[in-house]
Amino acid sequence: MSNEQTAVLKANQAFYRAFEKKDIEAMEAVCSKGVGSLCIHPGRKALTGWDTIRPSWLQIFKATRYLEIDLDVISVEVSGTIAYVVLTENVMQVAGNRRLEAKSMATNMFEYMGGQWYLVHHHGSPIMG
């Protein structure tokens, strides 16, 4: 694995750590604030721009008491200043009094800017069955 791939996986891990801990400040540190940023939560429409994406994460964090995410990385590719990670998310969450388990395929795209890899695109799709 190249140094660039390792750095992208580190940024990807920081994103999921912030997600699990429901830490919007940590998420802001790894996510691009650009108007072209894109987020597609499983089963939802595309959100564009950090000003639209941020409230969606806050809503998820508010509705979730506890969250665990196990990842199975399928692929990590780097080409210049763009990189992507394809993975399976195994999610267990407690919302209200309900324990929910779900599995999603996700693609996370990163862009290298100012000496750091930033998440510019997150897309999760539920795996049925």
Side-chain angles (χ1 to χ4, degrees), residues 14-29:
F15 166 70
Y16 282 102
R17 191 171 349 169
F19 188 178
E20 270 190 328
K21 296 192 179 304
K22 303 182 296 176
D23 183 342
I24 196 66
E25 288 82 17
M27 189 166 280
E28 286 177 330

Side-chain angles (χ1 to χ4, degrees), residues 79-116:
S79 180
T81 60
I82 300 294
Y84 66 84
V85 180
V86 177
L87 52 96
T88 303
E89 303 169 336
N90 300 291
V91 180
M92 190 284 291
Q93 75 182 95
V94 177
N97 292 324
R98 295 180 41 198
R99 176 188 165 118
L100 308 167
E101 293 188 29
K103 189 177 266 196
S104 297
M105 287 297 305
T107 301
N108 295 324
M109 294 188 69
F110 294 85
E111 185 173 4
Y112 193 74
M113 299 177 281
Q116 180 178 330

Side-chain angles (χ1 to χ4, degrees), residues 9-128:
L9 285 175
K10 185 177 176 183
N12 192 69
Q13 183 180 34
F15 166 70
Y16 282 102
R17 191 171 349 169
F19 188 178
E20 270 190 328
K21 296 192 179 304
K22 303 182 296 176
D23 183 342
I24 196 66
E25 288 82 17
M27 189 166 280
E28 286 177 330
V30 74
C31 290
S32 170
K33 309 311 173 298
V35 294
S37 296
L38 193 66
C39 181
I40 306 170
H41 297 296
R44 304 229 182 124
K45 66 179 186 166
L47 302 172
T48 305
W50 182 246
D51 289 344
T52 304
I53 295 167
R54 185 181 191 279
S56 75
W57 287 114
L58 288 173
Q59 184 178 28
I60 290 168
F61 295 168
K62 184 178 179 183
T64 305
R65 284 192 338 198
Y66 180 79
L67 187 61
E68 282 182 24
I69 307 169
D70 291 319
L71 307 175
D72 295 317
V73 174
I74 297 167
S75 179
V76 56
E77 300 294 332
V78 179
S79 180
T81 60
I82 300 294
Y84 66 84
V85 180
V86 177
L87 52 96
T88 303
E89 303 169 336
N90 300 291
V91 180
M92 190 284 291
Q93 75 182 95
V94 177
N97 292 324
R98 295 180 41 198
R99 176 188 165 118
L100 308 167
E101 293 188 29
K103 189 177 266 196
S104 297
M105 287 297 305
T107 301
N108 295 324
M109 294 188 69
F110 294 85
E111 185 173 4
Y112 193 74
M113 299 177 281
Q116 180 178 330
W117 287 102
Y118 289 95
L119 182 70
V120 294
H121 176 92
H122 170 73
H123 183 179
S125 296
I127 298 174
M128 307 312 269

